[in-house]
C-alpha cells in the first residue's frame, strides 16, 4: 500500500504543517513504513489526486492533514473506491469528524495512524454531488462555520476560539431562516428555524455535540431542526448544546426536533448558505441521502 500525506498549507493558519513534517518522518522511521508528501495547491486538488490514484487500481492510504475541509476533499475522491483508504491528521480549525472516533490526540499519533486499519464509514451525498463525511448545516451553525474560516486568520486566533468569536458575531445579527424540511418517512416541518443540522457525525462548530446519538457507521442521517426561540432562552441553552445534553433541557424540548432518517429534502424561499463539512455552497433546494459504508476510513491502532 502507498501512504500519501496530503498537506494543506493553509491549515491552522499555516502554522501546523511545518511542525508536522518532522513528526511524519519520525513515525515512518518508527514503523518502517515509507511515505510520500503532497502539498495541495488549489481547492479541489486533493480530490483530483485521490480520484486519479483510485483509477490505477493500486492500494493507497491518503492522510488528510488539515481540517474538516481537507478531509472532505479526500473523501470526495475516495467515495465507493475500495482500493482507497482515508486517514485524518487533524490540524485545522474545526476537526470535528475525529471527535466521533476518539478525538484529536488519538489521530495525532502518527505511528498509530500508519499502523491503523480501515473500516467502512457512511457519507452524506447531495443530489448535486456534494459530499459530507461529518455533517451538513443550514442557518446559524453554517453561518458560524463560515465566519470562523475568516477569523482563524486573525493574530492569536485558531481552533475553537475562532468559532467562539464567530458565535458572538452571529448572535448580534438577525437570526432565523424559513424552511420546509421533509424526510423519507413522510414527515414535513415548515416554519422559521434557527438552524437545521444533518449529521453523519455528532459534532460541529469546533466541538458542539449537536447530534449526540449520531453514529458514523449506522447507515442513517441524524436530523436536528431548531425553531426560532428568544435570545434570552437561547443563550442559557448553549452550554448544554456544546456538551450534547441539550435534549434533557426542558427549553430544548420545546424548540428542537431530533430524528433519524435516510433522506431529507430542504427548501427555502431564496438561496441560502449550506455547509458541507465547512465547505460553503448556496442553494434553495437541497436533497440529501446517506451512503452506507461509502468510504474506507483508517482507525489508529
Amino acid at each position: 500500500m502507498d501512504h500519501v500525506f496530503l498537506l494543506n498549507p493553509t491549515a491552522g493558519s499555516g502554522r501546523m504543517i511545518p511542525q508536522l513534517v518532522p513528526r511524519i518522518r519520525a513515525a515512518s522511521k518508527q514503523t518502517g513504513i515509507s511515505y510520500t508528501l503532497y502539498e495541495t495547491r488549489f481547492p479541489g486538488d486533493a480530490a483530483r489526486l485521490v480520484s486519479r490514484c483510485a483509477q490505477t487500481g493500486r492500494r493507497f492510504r491518503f492522510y488528510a492533514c488539515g481540517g474538516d475541509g481537507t478531509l472532505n476533499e479526500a473523501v470526495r475522491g475516495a467515495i465507493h473506491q475500495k482500493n482507497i483508504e482515508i486517514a485524518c491528521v487533524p490540524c485545522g480549525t474545526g476537526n470535528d469528524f475525529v471527535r466521533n472516533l476518539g478525538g484529536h490526540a488519538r489521530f495525532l499519533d502518527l505511528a498509530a495512524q500508519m499502523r491503523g486499519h480501515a473500516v467502512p464509514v457512511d457519507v452524506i451525498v447531495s443530489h448535486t454531488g456534494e459530499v459530507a463525511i461529518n455533517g451538513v448545516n443550514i442557518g446559524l451553525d453554517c453561518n458560524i462555520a463560515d465566519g470562523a474560516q475568516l477569523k482563524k486568520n486573525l493574530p492569536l486566533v485558531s481552533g475553537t476560539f475562532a468559532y467562539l468569536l464567530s458565535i458572538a458575531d452571529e448572535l448580534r445579527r438577525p437570526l432565523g431562516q424559513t424552511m420546509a424540511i421533509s424526510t423519507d418517512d413522510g414527515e414535513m416541518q415548515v416554519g422559521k428555524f434557527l438552524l437545521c443540522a444533518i449529521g453523519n457525525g455528532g459534532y460541529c462548530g469546533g466541538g458542539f455535540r449537536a447530534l449526540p446519538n449520531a453514529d458514523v457507521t449506522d447507515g442513517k442521517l441524524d436530523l436536528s431542526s431548531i425553531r426560532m426561540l428568544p435570545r434570552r432562552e437561547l443563550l442559557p441553552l448553549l452550554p448544554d448544546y456544546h456538551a450534547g445534553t441539550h435534549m434533557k433541557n426542558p427549553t430544548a424540548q420545546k424548540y428542537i426536533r431530533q430524528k433519524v432518517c435516510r433522506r431529507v429534502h430542504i427548501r427555502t424561499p431564496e438561496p441560502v448558505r449550506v455547509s458541507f463539512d465547512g465547505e460553503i455552497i448556496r442553494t434553495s433546494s437541497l436533497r440529501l441521502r446517506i451512503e452506507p459504508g461509502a468510504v474506507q476510513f483508517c482507525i489508529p491502532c
Side-chain angles (χ1 to χ4, degrees):
M1 181 189 296
D2 294 321
H3 294 251
V4 181
F5 286 82
L6 301 170
L7 307 178
N8 179 353
T10 67
S13 301
R15 293 187 292 266
M16 289 299 296
I17 298 305
Q19 303 169 26
L20 187 62
V21 173
R23 296 178 54 207
I24 295 172
R25 190 179 302 120
S28 172
K29 185 175 181 180
Q30 180 181 343
T31 60
I33 297 172
S34 60
Y35 64 92
T36 300
L37 298 178
Y38 183 86
E39 186 171 304
T40 58
R41 296 167 292 173
F42 51 83
D45 191 22
R48 178 195 61 84
L49 175 66
V50 173
S51 180
R52 282 175 51 193
C53 290
Q55 304 314 309
T56 68
R58 289 164 51 193
R59 292 183 64 211
F60 287 85
R61 177 179 294 171
F62 287 95
Y63 299 78
C65 304
D68 290 316
T70 307
L71 176 59
N72 179 279
E73 276 206 33
V75 167
R76 271 191 291 165
I79 190 167
H80 297 309
Q81 303 293 339
K82 297 298 185 183
N83 59 319
I84 301 296
E85 297 179 5
I86 297 298
C88 179
V89 181
C91 47
T93 305
N95 304 309
D96 281 312
F97 183 71
V98 297
R99 299 175 196 271
N100 300 288
L101 297 166
H104 294 178
R106 184 184 191 193
F107 283 83
L108 287 171
D109 184 338
L110 299 186
Q113 285 264 46
M114 296 178 84
R115 295 192 189 104
H117 65 281
V119 299
V121 301
D122 307 335
V123 177
I124 302 171
V125 179
S126 79
H127 70 293
T128 51
E130 290 87 5
V131 305
I133 192 170
N134 188 57
V136 178
N137 302 89
I138 303 174
L140 181 60
D141 281 352
C142 174
N143 299 342
I144 288 169
D146 201 12
Q149 293 304 309
L150 298 174
K151 296 191 185 312
K152 72 178 184 180
N153 296 317
L154 296 173
L156 304 178
V157 174
S158 63
T160 300
F161 187 39
Y163 281 93
L164 294 175
L165 289 177
S166 186
I167 289 170
D169 273 358
E170 290 300 324
L171 291 179
R172 291 199 294 266
R173 297 172 179 166
L175 302 175
Q177 174 63 53
T178 300
M179 303 185 207
I181 306 167
S182 56
T183 49
D184 52 340
D185 60 2
E187 181 182 56
M188 177 175 283
Q189 305 174 62
V190 179
K192 194 169 186 180
F193 294 87
L194 181 69
L195 63 88
C196 181
I198 306 97
N200 181 39
Y203 294 86
C204 65
F208 282 82
R209 199 176 182 189
L211 296 160
N213 297 318
D215 181 337
V216 299
T217 64
D218 65 358
K220 298 175 183 176
L221 296 170
D222 281 67
L223 171 67
S224 179
S225 52
I226 305 182
R227 292 189 178 272
M228 284 300 300
L229 68 164
R231 280 177 170 80
R232 66 178 181 276
E233 294 187 273
L234 170 61
L235 292 175
L237 187 58
L238 288 177
D240 285 338
Y241 192 64
H242 187 273
T245 57
H246 46 287
M247 292 311 293
K248 298 177 183 178
N249 187 312
T251 299
Q253 293 171 16
K254 291 190 298 182
Y255 296 102
I256 302 178
R257 171 86 168 101
Q258 293 199 330
K259 61 179 296 184
V260 295
C261 57
R262 287 183 171 81
R263 292 179 180 266
V264 61
H265 183 197
I266 300 172
R267 289 166 291 157
T268 58
E270 66 283 324
V272 297
R273 286 182 289 182
V274 181
S275 168
F276 285 79
D277 293 342
E279 301 299 299
I280 308 297
I281 69 166
R282 294 185 70 91
T283 186
S284 59
S285 180
L286 182 67
R287 295 181 184 271
L288 302 172
R289 68 183 186 276
I290 193 73
E291 291 281 348
V295 164
Q296 302 297 311
F297 188 79
C298 180
I299 305 296
C301 286

